Amino acid sequence: MAKELVFSGVQPTGNLHLGNYLGAIVNFVKLQDTHNCIYCVVDLHAITVWQDPAELTRNIREVTAAFIASGIDPKKHIVFNQSQVAEHAELAWVFNCVARLGWLNRMTQFKEKAGKDRENASVGLYAYPNLMAADILVYRATHVPVGEDQKQHLELSRDIAQKFNNDFSESIKVHGLGDKFFPLPEPLITGPATRVMSLRDGSKKMSKSDASDYSRINLSDDADAIAQKVRKAKTDPEPLPSEDEGLKTRPEADNLVGIYAALSGRSKPDVLREFGGGQFSGFKNSLVDLAVEKLGPIGAEMKKLSQDSAYVDEVLIDGANRARVIAGETMNHVKDIVGFIRGR
Ligand code: AMP
Ligand code: TRP
């Protein structure tokens, strides 16, 4: 059986928030103990929507700093930015020729991001999932920790891997590369909170692109900002329920209890046993203390790293050098499989 390998990516497009942390980064950190891991700052994905160049540079460093500050070890594992390893874009082109228009037409994220004016969306935004498949498969990674919103893209990656394996099955055999060249990557959508919602609207996910900064807790927020945002978070007039069941029709309450549970490593019923029947104000005070305790040190470390961009850049360059070795090997095989001519 192929060796297990973890790959995941985060876009450098703005403020990293609690959703990114609980939905993805916490799992990235945990998987380091059991797997070889590759964590990528996906700058090529970022430019599917126009980015201010200076801000993009800053954001690439900020996501890298968040990885390190959260406990990802860039020496034991690989941390790099996507554009430094050209094989991602190279394999994505091959996948553009494997994936079908009909598959991409079903992608809900494209529909959301393109909005009403679809004619004016970039071609890159449309082809985005093919590049994501290439990110994963250029390392032949087997496991991909992501939040709930990436499930459909992961399914597409599996479809692409499978179609490539089928379309080229003869050639894969001829080149002695087994019967299945690409593994079908498994999504890992687990962990404390796979879908954290906006603090202003319990029906919308917490997002980097929400116009209101009060909708999210940023990893770089200081204690005052965290306190203000939690206190202003939308709630309803009822006291907290004592049972999980009572959260069903109360999305804002459910979200805050879920955040508390995730940050404290407890279950929601357990949290409700402590806070059920009480008013939101008391619960919010406890949530502020907990969030500051857990996120404060990460924010502080990110701040420190923001003053040492030379170190952060060095991490990315070193990671890219190591990633390129693996990606280059896969790409050579792909060229042989497809029938291209290449030098040795
Ligand atoms: P992105 O910010 O879109 O690059 O997302 C980076 C990672 O965070 C992906 O694995 C997402 O699925 C995850 N993520 C983003 N927003 C949320 C959220 N509100 N709740 C849980 N996970 C999220
Ligand atoms: N599309 C992902 C997101 O928006 C980011 C991403 C790009 C990714 N390539 C990936 C995630 C590969 C996992 C694996 O969150």
Side-chain angles (χ1 to χ4, degrees), residues 181-258:
F181 180 68
F182 286 121
L184 306 189
E186 296 276 347
L188 297 176
I189 303 175
T190 55
T194 55
R195 192 169 169 82
V196 177
M197 308 311 280
S198 157
L199 299 181
R200 306 299 287 164
D201 178 351
S203 67
K204 277 198 338 207
K205 71 172 181 178
M206 188 177 283
S207 147
K208 288 169 181 165
S209 54
D210 196 309
S212 165
D213 202 46
Y214 277 95
S215 69
R216 62 184 160 258
I217 295 176
N218 301 311
L219 288 185
S220 56
D221 282 346
D222 61 18
D224 283 347
I226 293 174
Q228 271 192 32
K229 288 175 178 180
V230 171
R231 297 217 166 91
K232 283 213 166 136
K234 187 175 170 202
T235 49
D236 56 47
E238 303 293 314
L240 280 157
S242 310
E243 310 265 322
D244 214 15
E245 195 65 19
L247 293 172
K248 274 213 172 115
T249 51
R250 301 172 63 187
E252 284 84 16
D254 188 29
N255 190 40
L256 291 180
V257 171

Side-chain angles (χ1 to χ4, degrees), residues 141-317:
T142 56
H143 291 80
V144 185
V146 282
E148 173 72 34
D149 61 342
Q150 295 302 310
K151 192 167 172 216
Q152 193 184 37
H153 288 159
L154 254 295
E155 276 157 14
L156 187 87
S157 298
R158 292 168 65 88
D159 291 343
I160 290 175
Q162 191 150 31
K163 183 161 163 57
F164 182 95
N165 289 344
N166 285 339
D167 288 357
F168 295 102
S169 62
E170 265 320 299
S171 185
I172 291 169
K173 254 179 247 145
V174 168
H175 286 93
L177 295 164
D179 357 289
K180 291 192 182 64
F181 180 68
F182 286 121
L184 306 189
E186 296 276 347
L188 297 176
I189 303 175
T190 55
T194 55
R195 192 169 169 82
V196 177
M197 308 311 280
S198 157
L199 299 181
R200 306 299 287 164
D201 178 351
S203 67
K204 277 198 338 207
K205 71 172 181 178
M206 188 177 283
S207 147
K208 288 169 181 165
S209 54
D210 196 309
S212 165
D213 202 46
Y214 277 95
S215 69
R216 62 184 160 258
I217 295 176
N218 301 311
L219 288 185
S220 56
D221 282 346
D222 61 18
D224 283 347
I226 293 174
Q228 271 192 32
K229 288 175 178 180
V230 171
R231 297 217 166 91
K232 283 213 166 136
K234 187 175 170 202
T235 49
D236 56 47
E238 303 293 314
L240 280 157
S242 310
E243 310 265 322
D244 214 15
E245 195 65 19
L247 293 172
K248 274 213 172 115
T249 51
R250 301 172 63 187
E252 284 84 16
D254 188 29
N255 190 40
L256 291 180
V257 171
I259 291 171
Y260 191 100
L263 283 173
S264 60
R266 290 161 62 184
S267 69
K268 284 200 271 190
D270 191 35
V271 173
L272 290 177
R273 237 168 276 138
E274 183 180 342
F275 294 99
Q279 296 300 323
F280 272 104
S281 51
F283 172 69
K284 280 183 168 178
N285 285 337
S286 301
L287 182 54
V288 168
D289 291 344
L290 176 65
V292 169
E293 177 199 326
K294 298 288 174 182
L295 302 179
I298 297 174
E301 183 62 23
M302 282 174 68
K303 203 162 184 190
K304 226 160 70 193
L305 288 167
S306 74
Q307 268 130 49
D308 194 355
S309 60
Y311 166 72
V312 172
D313 292 3
E314 205 43 57
V315 164
L316 293 172
I317 292 165

